[in-house]
Amino acid sequence: MPAYDAKAERATRDVVSRAMFSEIRKGNTTPHGGLYISMGHLGADRVRREFKGMVERCADCGFDLAGGLVEVVPTAHYMMGGVEFAADCTTSIPGLFVAGEDSGGVHGANRLGGNGVANSTVFGAVAGGSMAAWVRKHGRLADPSELETAIARCERPLSAPRGDLEALREKLHETMWERVGIIRDGAGLTRALGELDAIDAELERTGIGTISRAFNLSWHDWLNLKSLVAVSRVITQAALARQDSRGAHYREDFPQSGPLESSAYTSIRADGEVTMKPVAFTRVRPGQTLLKHAA
Ligand SMILES: Cc1cc2nc3c(=O)[nH]c(=O)nc-3n(C[C@H](O)[C@H](O)[C@H](O)COP(=O)(O)OP(=O)(O)OC[C@H]3O[C@@H](n4cnc5c(N)ncnc54)[C@H](O)[C@@H]3O)c2cc1C
């Protein structure tokens, strides 16, 4: 890690993930294609004392975190984007509320450690209050005709012949990991969009050919995959539109972050229309601080 950042493994998550991914791309991997971490330099007793939970979890998987090497890979840990919402958790769709990791814009480009659960807890409570007030006023959350449309959409896989959903999910995983993952570029993102279209088309031709609707996990898999493809597509389009690198979004062809003063959120509709929405610095501007001693 010191070759990548002066703070070594204490650098921010995006920096550490990129460094790991770069080493993996160079082929400097463990036999399983990962990397090793070692905490032995802190002293095994100290690691056991201060990182008790992690030591136990690693031991469960057959690794000695206190004194040995542990095999790791970078992975998607948090979804920084999500549905645009107002402070009361309402969205532009009447009756649709959003909170927690499904909501976008709370953390900017890089979530600070510990703020994921805080986000979900705080906005989960706000959303609950807003939904209760909405139901009291409107008597229901959704328009019945919209529910009919949603039901028809959900029932589609029941009438198509059974296919290999797992193979499709694997393809999606490969596309998103290889071309829309930790290190991105325009060519890879464009190629990913084509692959996503192909996966979606194949999914539409694939059904679950089922006899029973009760507790049908293949049906869940189909619906999940449909949503995963939809979300993957907006992530890819948004990444293609943003020609800079910020936090977890890193473009090898646009590695600079650009001026912070003109920071903008990437806003994208399901039909692919992208709008860059300027960040309103209402409390602290780039370069300013609220800490008196640092000011
Ligand atoms: C490995 C890991 C470590 C993390 N460590 C931290 C940390 O140290 N500190 C921190 O602040 N954050 C951490 N986070 C992030 C944090 O845990 C999450 O952001 C947070 O838990 C998200 O809460 P949520 O309620 O928004 O979503 P979730 O916890 O994902 O809850 C969504 C729920 O909806 C359910 N669901 C999904 N689809 C349906 C459906 N169709 N019908 C009914 N239910 C459905 C799911 O089963 C799930 O229970 C970590 C995340 C990961 C993955």
Side-chain angles (χ1 to χ4, degrees), residues 8-253:
E9 70 279 1
R10 302 294 296 169
T12 52
R13 293 173 224 232
D14 57 309
V15 174
V16 177
S17 307
R18 268 199 306 281
M20 293 172 77
F21 194 69
S22 301
E23 289 301 318
I24 290 173
R25 278 217 295 211
K26 283 186 216 159
N28 296 331
T29 67
T30 63
H32 295 114
L35 301 171
Y36 289 121
I37 56 166
S38 153
M39 294 181 76
H41 61 290
L42 297 177
D45 287 341
R46 183 177 163 196
V47 174
R48 273 189 213 103
R49 200 172 54 245
E50 295 184 14
F51 302 92
K52 188 169 173 288
M54 288 308 298
V55 169
E56 286 167 4
R57 273 163 69 179
C58 289
D60 283 347
C61 307
F63 291 109
D64 172 17
L65 180 64
L69 298 173
V70 180
E71 247 180 315
V72 290
V73 283
T75 178
H77 172 246
Y78 191 86
M79 177 71 199
M80 240 79 69
V83 178
E84 277 187 61
F85 75 127
D88 62 357
C89 296
T90 53
T91 66
S92 60
I93 300 177
L96 179 71
F97 297 78
V98 66
E101 199 165 327
D102 285 346
S103 64
V106 176
H107 305 287
N110 214 356
R111 176 175 75 88
L112 293 178
N115 283 358
V117 173
N119 173 25
S120 300
T121 313
V122 170
F123 284 105
V126 173
S130 294
M131 288 162 82
W134 167 276
V135 172
R136 268 198 300 275
K137 192 168 165 198
H138 299 272
R140 58 165 195 261
L141 278 179
D143 187 325
S145 69
E146 284 170 11
L147 291 180
E148 290 301 321
T149 313
I151 289 169
R153 199 172 54 231
C154 290
E155 286 182 332
R156 264 209 321 269
L158 300 174
S159 52
R162 193 182 177 84
D164 190 348
L165 291 177
E166 189 49 29
L168 269 182
R169 209 193 64 83
E170 281 293 323
K171 265 191 204 170
L172 177 64
H173 176 267
E174 194 187 325
T175 291
M176 294 305 285
W177 176 251
E178 292 295 335
R179 290 178 254 299
V180 198
I182 294 169
I183 297 181
R184 304 161 164 179
D185 66 28
L189 291 166
T190 305
R191 189 172 153 195
L193 282 178
E195 291 173 0
L196 290 173
D197 283 345
I199 292 168
D200 203 15
E202 204 174 329
L203 184 60
E204 282 297 316
R205 289 191 297 272
T206 306
I208 56 168
T210 193
I211 1 85
S212 168
R213 295 180 174 210
F215 194 66
N216 190 320
L217 292 179
S218 299
W219 196 5
H220 290 202
D221 288 343
W222 194 97
L223 294 168
N224 283 343
L225 200 46
K226 189 75 188 159
S227 300
L228 285 171
V229 173
V231 171
S232 298
R233 193 179 270 131
V234 290
I235 290 173
T236 309
Q237 287 164 327
L240 197 56
R242 181 172 271 282
Q243 297 190 331
D244 60 25
S245 292
R246 301 265 175 133
H249 164 73
Y250 183 80
R251 291 270 307 249
E252 215 163 26
D253 44 355

